[in-house]
Each structure stands twice: as structure tokens, then as C-alpha cells.
């Protein structure tokens, strides 16, 4: 089989170019449209925060297209805070990018999109804040992050904050159905639901799984095809939780679990489902563990306090694993 190129990746092929194509995120879309309706010169810096695969980078680019039209690439600098070695590289690139630019009525600023801003240390963020101020005449920033609470408050207070949500099941499945139609793929609702359940509202992941399933199935994917594919898709955070449990490292299991919870925004009952699926895939589910998961899932369904229950569940899982 030939290797998959970027153009043949469905996530890229079906990446929205306009606001109308965006699935969900209504609050964000409306807020951005309002900014465009107003005096563009007044546009503040923006801070996009939310779980992976929910449209943050996509909407930053949609906004750029809406402002600059087909020429948008000439006005946009995309940086990745975690790739670029240090804040000095960011400063240098922004400087070169903003040089010789004269703001006009139609293009009152250039746009710097800084992905993974929450991966920067707070010292680097303080420096970033200064860079944002120095270049504010010629540049607006769109900062993108998964965890808003990892962005220092002086930056938060200088940005308009947009919160992205996980894509709800119904809308995600509708989107997958549209893709299936275009790709002439005969996918049952059951298959699509299973794909959604494995991706916890991350649309990128849903589309990637769908594409993998399509490639192993020959036109009419079955549930077994999905199982085969999702085995490879256990989120690394979930693997980390299970690894910590196996090592008996309670603290790291707890912090991994809460990191995952904040990053994805999923609730306790769903986390238990994801854990269950991951354990099945890893072939590590024992009757004891299944009972523990069921017990805490039930307590949460009855409205018990999530943090207390999930923490106690991890403690009990460690004990059970020690016995195996
Ligand atoms: N709201 C959405 N509407 C339509 N497609 C979406 C949406 N969110 C994600 N996608 C699909 O998933 C792909 C990845 O989305 P995007 O790069 O915007 O995610 P992200 O929120 O920036 O994630 P990350 O935090 O991992 O960078 C897009 O190319 C698109 O195919
Ligand atoms: Mg992104």
C-alpha cells in the first residue's frame, strides 16, 4: 500500500474553510463573526482554549481567510510554541514578520497564530506578553491552548477568550455521514457510533479512525473493523494512567487522570468507559477490575461527587492490580 500523504488525509481534505462548514462551536463562531462585523482595527488578541480536535486551529485559519481572502498566507505567521526552541525564536520571527508592514484600512494588522501556548513556561509567557505589546500596532495574536489554566493571567486578561467544546455525538456522527457519502462508504450508524465513542468528542480522531476503518474494510465497514482500528487509538494519557496504576504510583495516576479530564472535558462516567475499553484492548481487564469500574460508574450515575469517587477508584484499582 502506498503511504498516506497529507492531501489524502481526510482530516485535511475536509478541514473547513468557512464558518458555515464548522461543526458546532456556535458561541465561538458567533463571537468571531461579530468581531468581523465591527471595526477590524479594534480586534483584540484572541485566546482559543479547549480539547484537541475540536476546531481551534481550523477556526483561526477560517478567520484569517475571512479577513485577508485568498492572500491570507501573506499575512499569517503560524508558530508552534512547543516546536520553536524558546521564546527568542518567537520574538525573532514575529519581528521579521512585522517589519516593513504598513497597516491599511483593509489589512490593519498581520496575524500571528501561536499553537500550544500552554506548553510555554510562565517566564516565556511573560516575555510573550511583552512581545504582544511591542508589536500590537502591526500584529494581532491568536493563542491556542488545551488548558486555559496554564496561561498566565496577564495574558488571559489581554485576550478575548473563546472556549471550544467537545463535539457532541449527534453532530459528529452527522459530519461523519457527510464524509462517508462523499467517499462512497457504506457505514452503518452503529459503526459511526462506535467510532465516536472511541474518540471522546475529538473530531480529528473520529475522522482519522473512519479513514483507517475505510482502508481496512473495502467499502462496507463492520464493527470488527472498528475494533481492529481503535486498538491502536488508546489515548496516550489513558495508557499513562494504566501504566501508573500498574506501577502502584497513585499520585501519578491521579494527576494523569485529572490532566486528561481537563484536556478533554469529559465527565467521570465517560472516563470510566474509556478506561474500560482501554483495559479490554490491552488485555488487562480482570473480573475484579470490571467490578470496581462498574461500582464507581454507578455511584457517579447516582450523582456522587466526581473528584472524590474517581480518586477513590484509582486507589482501589491499585490494590486490585497488586493482587494480580
Ligand atoms: N468544529 C469542527 N468542524 C469541522 N471539522 C472539525 C472541527 N473540529 C475539528 N475538525 C476536523 O478535525 C481536524 C483537526 O481540527 P483542528 O486542527 O482545528 O483541531 P484543534 O482544535 O486545533 O486540535 P489541537 O488542540 O489538537 O490542535 C480538522 O482538519 C477538521 O477536519
Ligand atoms: Mg490545533
Amino acid at each position: 500500500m502506498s503511504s498516506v500523504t497529507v492531501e489524502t488525509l481526510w482530516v485535511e481534505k475536509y478541514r473547513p474553510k468557512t464558518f458555515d462548514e464548522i461543526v458546532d462551536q456556535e458561541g465561538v463562531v458567533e463571537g468571531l463573526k461579530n468581531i468581523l462585523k465591527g471595526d477590524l482595527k479594534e480586534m483584540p488578541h484572541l485566546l482559543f482554549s479547549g480539547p484537541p480536535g475540536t476546531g481551534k486551529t481550523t477556526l483561526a485559519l477560517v478567520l484569517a481567510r475571512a479577513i485577508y481572502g485568498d492572500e491570507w498566507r501573506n499575512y499569517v505567521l503560524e508558530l508552534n510554541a512547543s516546536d520553536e526552541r524558546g521564546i527568542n525564536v518567537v520574538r525573532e520571527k514575529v519581528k521579521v514578520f512585522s517589519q516593513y508592514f504598513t497597516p491599511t484600512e483593509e489589512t490593519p494588522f498581520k496575524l500571528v497564530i501561536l499553537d500550544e501556548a500552554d506548553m510555554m513556561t510562565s517566564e516565556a509567557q511573560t516575555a510573550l506578553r511583552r512581545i504582544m505589546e511591542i508589536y500590537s500596532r502591526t500584529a494581532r495574536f491568536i493563542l491556542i491552548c488545551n488548558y486555559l489554566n496554564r496561561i498566565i493571567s496577564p495574558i488571559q486578561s489581554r485576550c478575548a477568550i473563546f472556549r471550544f467544546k467537545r463535539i457532541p455525538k449527534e453532530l459528529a456522527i452527522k459530519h461523519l455521514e457527510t464524509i462517508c457519502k462523499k467517499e462512497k462508504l457504506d457505514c452503518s450508524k452503529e459503526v459511526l457510533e462506535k467510532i465516536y465513542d472511541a474518540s471522546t468528542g475529538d473530531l480529528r480522531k473520529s475522522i482519522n479512525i473512519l479513514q483507517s476503518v475505510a482502508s481496512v474494510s473495502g467499502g462496507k465497514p463492520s464493527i470488527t473493523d472498528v475494533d481492529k482500528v481503535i486498538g491502536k487509538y488508546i489515548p496516550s494519557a489513558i495508557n499513562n494512567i494504566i501504566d501508573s496504576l500498574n506501577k502502584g504510583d497513585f499520585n501519578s495516576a491521579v494527576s494523569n487522570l485529572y490532566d486528561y479530564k481537563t484536556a478533554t472535558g469529559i465527565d467521570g462516567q465517560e472516563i470510566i468507559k474509556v478506561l474500560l475499553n482501554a483495559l479490554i484492548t490491552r488485555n488487562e481487564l480482570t473480573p475484579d477490575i470490571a467490578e470496581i469500574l462498574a461500582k464507581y460508574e454507578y455511584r457517579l450515575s447516582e450523582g456522587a461527587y466526581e473528584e472524590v469517587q474517581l480518586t477513590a477508584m484509582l486507589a482501589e484499582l491499585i490494590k486490585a492490580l497488586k493482587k494480580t
Side-chain angles (χ1 to χ4, degrees), residues 57 115 144 204:
T57 304
D115 226 317
I144 302 183
R204 176 199 290 115

PDB file of all heavy atoms in Angstrom, residues 57 115 144 204, ligand 2:
ATOM      1  N   THR A  57      -7.440  25.334  15.661  1.00  0.00           N
ATOM      2  CA  THR A  57      -6.566  25.755  14.572  1.00  0.00           C
ATOM      3  C   THR A  57      -7.392  26.059  13.324  1.00  0.00           C
ATOM      4  O   THR A  57      -7.168  27.062  12.633  1.00  0.00           O
ATOM      5  CB  THR A  57      -5.521  24.657  14.277  1.00  0.00           C
ATOM      6  OG1 THR A  57      -4.812  24.386  15.484  1.00  0.00           O
ATOM      7  CG2 THR A  57      -4.557  25.088  13.208  1.00  0.00           C
ATOM      8  N   ASP A 115       0.289  28.231  18.331  1.00  0.00           N
ATOM      9  CA  ASP A 115      -0.328  27.000  18.822  1.00  0.00           C
ATOM     10  C   ASP A 115       0.391  26.491  20.071  1.00  0.00           C
ATOM     11  O   ASP A 115       1.573  26.771  20.258  1.00  0.00           O
ATOM     12  CB  ASP A 115      -0.231  25.938  17.717  1.00  0.00           C
ATOM     13  CG  ASP A 115      -1.552  25.222  17.544  1.00  0.00           C
ATOM     14  OD1 ASP A 115      -2.180  24.881  18.561  1.00  0.00           O
ATOM     15  OD2 ASP A 115      -1.960  25.005  16.382  1.00  0.00           O
ATOM     16  N   ILE A 144      -3.390  29.612  21.070  1.00  0.00           N
ATOM     17  CA  ILE A 144      -4.204  28.402  21.134  1.00  0.00           C
ATOM     18  C   ILE A 144      -3.684  27.495  22.243  1.00  0.00           C
ATOM     19  O   ILE A 144      -2.465  27.319  22.381  1.00  0.00           O
ATOM     20  CB  ILE A 144      -4.185  27.659  19.783  1.00  0.00           C
ATOM     21  CG1 ILE A 144      -4.710  28.597  18.680  1.00  0.00           C
ATOM     22  CG2 ILE A 144      -5.006  26.384  19.845  1.00  0.00           C
ATOM     23  CD1 ILE A 144      -4.816  27.948  17.312  1.00  0.00           C
ATOM     24  N   ARG A 204     -11.125  15.289  14.996  1.00  0.00           N
ATOM     25  CA  ARG A 204      -9.972  14.842  14.211  1.00  0.00           C
ATOM     26  C   ARG A 204      -9.801  13.337  14.369  1.00  0.00           C
ATOM     27  O   ARG A 204      -9.630  12.610  13.398  1.00  0.00           O
ATOM     28  CB  ARG A 204      -8.702  15.549  14.668  1.00  0.00           C
ATOM     29  CG  ARG A 204      -7.468  15.027  13.917  1.00  0.00           C
ATOM     30  CD  ARG A 204      -6.174  15.332  14.622  1.00  0.00           C
ATOM     31  NE  ARG A 204      -5.856  16.739  14.579  1.00  0.00           N
ATOM     32  CZ  ARG A 204      -5.797  17.511  15.662  1.00  0.00           C
ATOM     33  NH1 ARG A 204      -6.014  16.992  16.853  1.00  0.00           N
ATOM     34  NH2 ARG A 204      -5.509  18.775  15.552  1.00  0.00           N
TER      35      ARG A 204
HETATM   36 MG1  LIG B   2      -4.645  22.813  16.687  1.00  0.00          MG
END
